[in-house]
Amino acid sequence: MNFFVNKRIGHSNSGVEHAQFYRAQCFREKNMVFKLIYTDYLPQLHEHMKEWRLKENEVIGLYDYLLSDNPSEYLQNGLAHTNVYRQQTLVDFVDTQRVVHQQTTGQYQATILKSKRFDSKKNVYLVGDDRVILENGQHRVAWHYRHSESLGKIMTNIHVSGFHDRDYLFATFEELLMFFLLELQREFTHNCYFIDRGTDNEEVLITLKNRGYQLKIVDIVHAAHLVSYQNNRPVWNNYYQYMFDHLDDVDRVIVATTLQQKDILSQLRDSGLPVDPHKIIAIPVGGVNQIAAPKKWAGNVAKFVTVSRLHPEKKIAHIVESIAQLNQKGFAATLSIYGTGNEEDKLKQLINDYHLNDKITLKGFCQSITRELLNYDAYVSASYSEGFGLTYIEALGAALPVASYANLYGAQSLIKDGKNGHLAEFDRHNKNEATNIAHLSAAMQLIFTDYDTLSEGATLTAENFQIKKIADQWARVVEGLS
């Protein structure tokens, strides 16, 4: 079995989850079996599975499994019946949440007991989860949380009751995860784990492999992997440090671009580590099913669009300021922003400060973004770093030229200056933000000096990222591991 290992899925997801959805599409295309694994407590899991068109027999949720009346049947086929999510919250006399009751979308119910503690550093009372109890008849999973200053909530004293008529106690989540993955090893054969998220997943699987269990491990790199060089040696991103430290135990490493592939191989040589060039493979994390016909610009208002989590690292404020600059220069431009996140209020205020409410619209979350993109002229991104940039490919497939900072690795790999868009140089230091924004604004305007050619170039680029072609690449990886 091929397992895509992750922690969570929701109504709105990051590029990691969307990369998994695209990979699932490729595996279906080639009739290769797979299951997505989610290890977080997800009370609305099955609702979100339906939203993202995942079948019951394509997903394994950790707690659905532990609380199942027939765990083996669940692993093979998923749930036959799901529930509508409901929640009831009980509060005390000062309106503080104390108990939360949930009917999950699975077959079990949840009771979450809250605690109230004083944070002397913040000088405020904090309310958080203290104990969680999940129940399905005689089946029960319960745990406490302890709070760490650096790590936040940590599960402890995890009781699993009535699982295959036996009771278990796990001191840590890592012990529970080990138990769960051993169960998968017993139930399935010829297992290959594609690790998308979770260093805990990675550590447990490598431990099992070192103990002699027959399994393959494929690490998926979703972001820039390098922090800097120190003493002529590479310093890795924390998310990938464990992978590089245990590269001998990993069967394949998948990156999204050939540029990142070359960089990793070069940096491994610089680190003095043995290099197997066949182990690092470049496969796009997403692609297109259909490619729109090239567009022609009528010379009216330039309609820009961006799709992103509204988080600080995405620098959406830079795009807002660029739109302001374009209109101040007399170049008519509008912007639609798709996505949600904790910067939404800040962006609303910025749009209001620039008096751009008639030019810029926050569109919120959208599940049909490939269709929506067809309504615009050009795509814009202000991220300083993109491992790939799925929205770049989706935009190019909609025949939209792209203006973007020249980030690693997505923009530099996918956007060819003057061919399918324009790249803006940038400096990461905050003191240079005004210069960065001026460069981005200029790149956005340049798109419309030779728009028709750039739109045609966008469709030509998208031709290389058709799902069928990417599916062929995944099939070769799976075949090479068998």
Side-chain angles (χ1 to χ4, degrees), residues 117-126 148-150:
R117 60 188 179 87
F118 184 73
D119 188 317
S120 56
K121 290 183 178 179
K122 297 180 180 178
N123 196 35
V124 67
Y125 282 97
L126 300 177
S148 163
E149 290 294 330
S150 58

Side-chain angles (χ1 to χ4, degrees), residues 200-266:
D200 47 6
N201 294 317
E202 195 171 34
E203 291 180 32
V204 170
L205 285 167
I206 286 177
T207 299
L208 290 177
K209 191 174 186 181
N210 288 331
R211 290 180 182 176
Y213 287 91
Q214 297 301 304
L215 57 92
K216 301 289 186 180
I217 297 174
V218 179
D219 260 312
I220 314 294
V221 178
H222 288 285
H225 60 278
L226 183 73
V227 175
S228 64
Y229 266 78
Q230 290 186 7
N231 300 321
N232 297 318
R233 294 292 182 92
V235 178
W236 313 116
N237 179 326
N238 279 344
Y239 290 107
Y240 302 116
Q241 181 69 55
Y242 191 85
M243 177 189 77
F244 285 116
D245 287 345
H246 297 83
L247 208 53
D248 286 343
D249 298 311
V250 176
D251 295 280
R252 298 288 187 275
V253 175
I254 308 295
V255 298
T257 67
T258 56
L259 182 58
Q260 189 168 21
Q261 177 191 37
K262 292 175 182 176
D263 279 356
I264 288 178
L265 290 172
S266 173

